[in-house]
């Protein structure tokens, strides 16, 4: 088996794509590459259905506010469900379905609460969502 550098983002999968991170060149896996591509699009509200995210905590809570709301969501047993896929096509379909559900939940929550430019999501991936 050939040697492969581990992904320098997740440390789990083989790093197969080299990307520039500051002054360094990191080897990352396809999954982390996709996250690094989608993350900025969601943050700046471009190329995604997601509303624009906040840049700072002041954008979220305002300078005079003392409270910060947190929403965490996790799809129970999504990993077990993914293991039932019998081929790559089923796994990919499940992954797209899961992403669509997560994206819809974030969009609907942000719209219902008027959070355009007033929320941040440091974690959107797999079956986990964290908003504040």
């Amino acid at each position: 088996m050939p040697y492969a550098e581990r992904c320098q983002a997740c440390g789990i999968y083989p790093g197969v794509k080299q990307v520039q991170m500051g002054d360094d060149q990191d080897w990352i896996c396809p999954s982390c590459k996709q996250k690094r591509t989608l993350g900025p699009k969601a943050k700046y509200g471009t190329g995604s259905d997601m509303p624009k995210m906040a840049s700072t905590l002041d954008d979220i809570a305002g300078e005079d506010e003392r409270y910060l709301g947190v929403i965490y969501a996790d799809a129970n047993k999504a990993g077990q469900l993914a293991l039932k896929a019998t081929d790559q096509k089923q796994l990919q379909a499940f992954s797209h379905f899961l992403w669509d559900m997560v994206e819809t939940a974030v969009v609907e929550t942000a719209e219902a609460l008027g959070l355009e430019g007033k929320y941040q999501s440091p974690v959107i991936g797999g079956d986990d969502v964290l908003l504040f």
Side-chain angles (χ1 to χ4, degrees):
M1 176 180 270
Y3 171 78
E5 181 80 31
R6 276 192 190 190
C7 173
Q8 292 173 293
C10 70
I12 298 171
Y13 300 108
V16 296
K17 300 200 182 280
Q18 196 171 23
V19 296
Q20 184 77 31
M21 290 301 297
D23 293 335
D24 299 325
Q25 291 281 331
D26 288 347
W27 285 95
I28 61 174
C29 67
S31 177
C32 289
K33 171 71 170 141
Q34 184 175 13
K35 290 174 190 172
R36 288 188 181 181
T37 301
L38 293 175
K41 289 180 180 179
K43 182 175 181 178
Y44 300 110
T46 60
S48 170
D49 291 337
M50 299 256 214
K52 181 181 177 203
M53 292 188 201
S55 296
T56 68
L57 286 176
D58 283 342
D59 293 340
I60 296 169
E63 293 179 19
D64 299 327
E65 299 296 325
R66 300 182 341 195
Y67 301 99
L68 179 69
V70 177
I71 299 172
Y72 175 75
D74 176 61
N76 292 334
K77 301 184 181 178
Q80 290 177 7
L81 199 54
L83 289 174
K84 292 184 179 187
T86 58
D87 59 28
Q88 174 113 12
K89 193 173 186 176
Q90 279 186 353
L91 186 59
Q92 191 171 27
F94 176 71
S95 177
H96 286 294
F97 169 78
L98 197 55
W99 173 253
D100 289 344
M101 294 288 92
V102 166
E103 187 175 45
T104 298
V106 171
V107 169
E108 288 179 1
T109 300
E111 288 175 356
L113 299 175
L115 299 178
E116 174 87 24
K118 297 179 183 178
Y119 81 100
Q120 185 56 260
S121 181
V123 177
I124 297 182
D127 66 342
D128 297 305
V129 176
L130 175 64
L131 302 175
F132 59 80

